[in-house]
Amino acid sequence: MAAMIRPRTDNDLPALAKVLVEVHAVDGYPVEGVDDPLAWLDLPNAIGVWTAELGGAPVGHVALTEPGPGDDAARLLTEQSGPEPMAVLGRLFVAPAARGQGLAEQLVNTAMCASAEIQRQLVLDVMVKDRAAFRLYERLGWRTIGEITHQYGANNVEGALALAAPRPREICAH
């Protein structure tokens, strides 16, 4: 069964919300947002949002957003190399039953190419505990630009790494 990566539609949201709850039960990702998964997937600052579809069902998700005041990866990269147009990759997940088919990599590559098309440097943060995600980004050429602390909920903190994608010219041929 072939997978398809396509722009996410509002019709995908109920299925993706269920997938998100499954992913959280298996991986502890995300550390926040599963109490209201539809709200977590609602991204008013989205530049682009995609879903992986397998057998006609949404099984994965990724988003590009405008950097906001709390985006430590964007702040760190600006401190290191000066201001430049950026986008933040986030909300990446794949249903546990659909893993092992390269869907996460396809989703990340889609987002990387989209950021290249709009000439934005892509950044993200990944929790230290999410080792498989870090290995994926590392394999795709992302580089660590710093360590940060992600605060969530009342008094919860998680160690995280800020990453920057390879320069757009290195990832997508036009």
Side-chain angles (χ1 to χ4, degrees):
M1 195 176 329
M4 175 173 53
I5 308 298
R6 59 169 174 74
R8 186 193 79 193
T9 68
D10 288 346
N11 292 337
D12 298 325
L13 291 173
L16 289 169
K18 289 179 184 174
V19 170
L20 182 64
V21 171
E22 282 178 51
V23 168
H24 178 76
V26 171
D27 301 327
Y29 174 87
V31 293
E32 59 199 339
V34 292
D35 292 340
D36 189 353
L38 288 173
W40 193 78
L41 291 167
D42 181 25
L43 300 164
N45 61 342
I47 297 169
V49 187
W50 298 269
T51 188
E53 183 179 289
L54 194 58
V59 296
H61 182 271
V62 72
L64 285 184
T65 58
E66 295 283 351
D71 286 312
D72 290 322
R75 178 186 52 78
L76 282 171
L77 190 60
T78 298
E79 289 172 2
Q80 292 172 16
S81 56
E84 64 180 298
M86 285 187 227
V88 179
L89 185 144
R91 306 297 201 259
L92 173 66
F93 60 91
V94 173
R99 293 180 183 170
Q101 301 180 58
L103 297 177
E105 183 170 336
Q106 290 176 49
L107 285 163
V108 171
N109 283 335
T110 297
M112 289 171 72
C113 290
S115 75
E117 288 172 13
I118 60 172
Q119 299 179 352
R120 295 208 189 186
Q121 174 60 48
L122 194 52
V123 295
L124 63 80
D125 61 75
V126 62
M127 305 293 169
V128 172
K129 71 175 187 61
D130 296 328
R131 289 180 179 87
F134 178 77
R135 284 192 304 271
L136 168 67
Y137 297 124
E138 190 175 47
R139 190 172 66 248
L140 295 176
W142 291 66
R143 65 183 175 28
T144 302
I145 57 173
E147 295 181 15
I148 56 178
T149 301
H150 180 75
Q151 298 179 337
Y152 62 98
N155 295 306
N156 301 308
V157 294
E158 282 285 337
L161 298 171
L163 306 178
R167 292 291 176 184
R169 66 183 176 278
E170 300 169 6
I171 58 170
C172 298
H174 292 283

